């Protein structure tokens, strides 16, 4: 398990928030928010149902324990989706001068429940940072978790932009990219780009449970990419999928139609039109991938090259040093081990105009380029 990024020494960075900020729930996101704000000198108050988690987050510098006379400017609720509305309502009542947000991955259901409870939604607006790690809990917290990541603010009519300004300040102070959406737009969006991929990854990974070891030994990076998020917490995803069921179901129904077309074409792959149908489906996938934004949300495309790396200590570090020495910015890096060989494959992504020079220069330094 990783060690959290603690507060950096030296003078804190200038902040937009005044504070203090109260964080309820010190798992990965709550602890990371606290660490990031403490790096900017903001007073952070921590609360959690688990005394152990609270103690760990405090020990790592994410904030201090709550006190009876606290008057937070902003409250950030970082609890599971099934209790988000309950905790938000409680915080709104306990701190009548504070603005409250939450970071749950669904936005329409908590707002609807708060309205049904008669909560003061003029001081509440939901938000959602699209950032995370495969491990949870306060020990995984990072002060830089949100840098360059989208953070949605799900606006509604009961709160003004002026009232919600503290939430904008929170997002910008943590280095995230503020995205404004309605709760409905947000939930449809995450159904497509997050929730359905989780379902598909999970179903693919289930095919592996009874697979022969001889088949699994052939697994490469493609399978690992598809199934990576299948290792996520089932209890949390039961809550998320239940809270966003309608948009997820809509996308899955369309996906089932796509799958049926593939199955029909492969039933008789030499039948007239079968290969054309398969080709059209694959080309459709190419078109979809091409629409994904690149680094930092920019609509830029990068080229990849594969470098063969000996399986011994220091090789990856040397490769990265060499790329830096050559003045080339590394946009992305993926590693794959070659089964049965003392060899790794490093797939590096760079700007297209850098590929030719980088290939020649790395080869001159003794690196083997695949392909």
């Amino acid at each position: 398990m990783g060690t959290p990024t603690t507060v950096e020494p030296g003078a804190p960075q200038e902040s937009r928030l005044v504070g203090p900020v109260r964080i309820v729930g010190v798992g990965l996101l709550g602890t990371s928010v606290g660490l990031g704000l403490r790096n900017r000198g903001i007073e952070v108050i921590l609360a959690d149902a688990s005394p152990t988690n609270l103690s760990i987050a405090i020990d790592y510098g994410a904030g201090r324990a709550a006190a009876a006379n606290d008057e937070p400017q902003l409250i950030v609720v970082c609890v599971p989706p099934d209790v988000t509305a309950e905790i938000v309502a409680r915080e709104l009542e306990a701190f009548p001068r504070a603005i409250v947000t939450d970071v749950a991955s669904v936005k329409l259901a908590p707002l609807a429940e708060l309205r049904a409870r008669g909560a003061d939604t003029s001081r509440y607006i939901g938000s959602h940072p699209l950032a995370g790690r495969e491990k949870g809990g306060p020990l995984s917290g990072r002060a830089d978790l949100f840098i360059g990541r989208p953070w949605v603010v799900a606006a509604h009519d009961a709160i003004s932009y002026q009232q919600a300004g503290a939430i904008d300040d929170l997002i910008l102070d943590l280095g995230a990219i503020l995205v404004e959406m309605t709760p409905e737009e947000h939930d449809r969006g995450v159904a497509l780009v997050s929730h359905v991929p989780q379902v598909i990854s999970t179903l693919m990974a289930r095919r592996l449970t009874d697979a022969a070891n001889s088949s699994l030994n052939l697994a490469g990076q493609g399978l690992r990419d598809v199934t990576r998020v299948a290792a996520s917490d089932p209890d949390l995803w039961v809550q998320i999928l239940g809270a966003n069921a309608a948009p997820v179901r809509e996308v899955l129904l369309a996906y089932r139609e796509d799958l049926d077309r593939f199955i029909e074409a492969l039933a008789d792959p030499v039948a007239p039109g079968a290969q054309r149908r398969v080709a059209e489906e694959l080309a459709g996938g190419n078109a979809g991938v091409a629409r994904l934004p690149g680094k930092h949300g920019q609509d830029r495309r990068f080229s990849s090259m594969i470098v063969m790396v000996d399986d011994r200590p220091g090789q990856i570090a040397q490769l990265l040093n060499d790329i830096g020495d050559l003045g080339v910015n590394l946009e992305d890096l993926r590693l794959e081990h070659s089964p049965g060989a003392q060899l790794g494959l490093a797939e590096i992504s760079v700007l297209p105009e850098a590929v030719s020079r980088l290939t020649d220069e790395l080869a001159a330094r003794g690196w083997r380029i695949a392909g």
Side-chain angles (χ1 to χ4, degrees):
M1 185 169 290
T3 300
T5 304
T6 53
V7 179
E8 296 292 336
Q13 304 174 60
E14 184 180 356
S15 65
R16 297 170 179 81
L17 279 171
V18 176
V21 174
R22 174 177 162 90
I23 299 172
V24 183
V26 289
L28 167 64
L29 294 181
T31 301
S32 297
V33 170
L35 291 169
L37 292 179
R38 291 296 301 126
N39 269 359
R40 289 185 170 270
I42 297 295
E43 181 183 1
V44 176
I45 304 159
L46 303 178
D48 195 283
S50 166
T52 300
N53 282 352
L54 179 60
S55 178
I56 292 171
I58 292 172
D59 285 348
Y60 276 112
R64 64 166 175 84
N69 60 346
D70 287 335
E71 289 289 344
Q73 173 196 14
L74 174 66
I75 299 171
V76 185
V77 174
C78 307
V79 299
D82 62 343
V83 294
T84 291
E86 176 186 346
I87 301 302
V88 168
R90 187 186 72 188
E91 295 295 310
L92 286 167
E93 184 175 354
F95 299 96
R97 287 191 290 273
I99 299 297
V100 181
T101 189
D102 72 272
V103 297
S105 59
V106 289
K107 298 275 65 95
L108 191 58
L111 178 60
E113 185 176 341
L114 286 167
R115 285 170 170 164
R117 287 171 172 264
D120 181 8
T121 55
S122 70
R123 293 187 293 112
Y124 162 79
I125 186 167
S127 68
H128 179 208
L130 282 88
R133 302 180 68 188
E134 293 180 20
K135 294 182 181 295
L139 286 171
S140 298
R142 295 176 56 103
D144 60 355
L145 183 69
F146 308 105
I147 294 176
R149 302 300 304 162
W151 190 319
V152 176
V153 175
H156 59 86
D157 293 341
I159 188 170
S160 69
Y161 282 105
Q162 184 175 6
Q163 288 173 297
I167 300 171
D168 294 355
D169 291 342
L170 167 76
I171 294 169
L172 297 174
D173 275 352
L174 293 173
I177 300 170
L178 194 156
V179 179
E180 295 179 358
M181 305 178 81
T182 67
E184 294 84 356
E185 288 171 338
H186 169 271
D187 286 3
R188 286 197 301 269
V190 293
L192 177 63
V193 304
S194 175
H195 301 171
V196 168
Q198 175 67 47
V199 173
I200 293 171
S201 176
T202 297
L203 294 178
M204 183 63 236
R206 286 194 63 188
R207 298 297 94 211
L208 308 179
T209 55
D210 298 321
N213 287 336
S214 57
S215 297
L216 296 179
N217 288 338
L218 304 176
Q221 193 60 42
L223 179 65
R224 298 180 193 279
D225 286 346
V226 170
T227 59
R228 180 180 61 83
V229 298
S232 301
D233 180 6
D235 292 339
L236 175 62
W237 275 99
V238 166
Q239 296 180 35
I240 292 172
L241 293 171
N244 203 27
V248 170
R249 184 175 183 273
E250 182 180 347
V251 178
L252 285 174
L253 287 171
Y255 180 75
R256 183 171 68 182
E257 293 178 1
D258 296 339
L259 192 59
D260 284 341
R261 287 195 296 271
F262 247 115
I263 293 171
E264 183 181 349
L266 294 175
D268 187 357
V270 297
Q275 294 188 15
R276 176 182 175 181
R277 177 170 296 179
V278 170
E280 289 175 345
E281 296 296 333
L282 294 172
N286 294 159
V289 167
R291 292 201 61 204
L292 289 174
K295 184 179 178 184
H296 304 315
Q298 299 172 9
D299 190 15
R300 300 189 68 177
R301 309 296 163 221
F302 305 114
S303 295
S304 297
M305 54 186 291
I306 296 175
V307 182
M308 303 168 70
V309 180
D310 291 335
D311 191 8
R312 53 189 175 89
Q315 287 294 285
I316 294 298
Q318 184 61 53
L319 174 61
L320 297 181
N321 284 335
D322 285 349
I323 293 172
D325 288 345
L326 295 170
V328 175
N329 190 46
L330 183 65
E331 308 294 344
D332 198 6
L333 170 67
R334 296 197 307 172
L335 299 176
E336 180 178 357
H337 194 274
S338 182
Q342 298 299 307
L343 180 70
L345 303 176
E347 181 181 351
I348 59 177
S349 297
V350 297
L351 291 174
E353 56 267 28
V355 171
S356 179
R357 181 173 71 87
L358 186 59
T359 299
D360 293 342
E361 295 282 1
L362 288 179
R365 295 185 180 214
W367 293 101
R368 292 172 291 168
I369 311 299

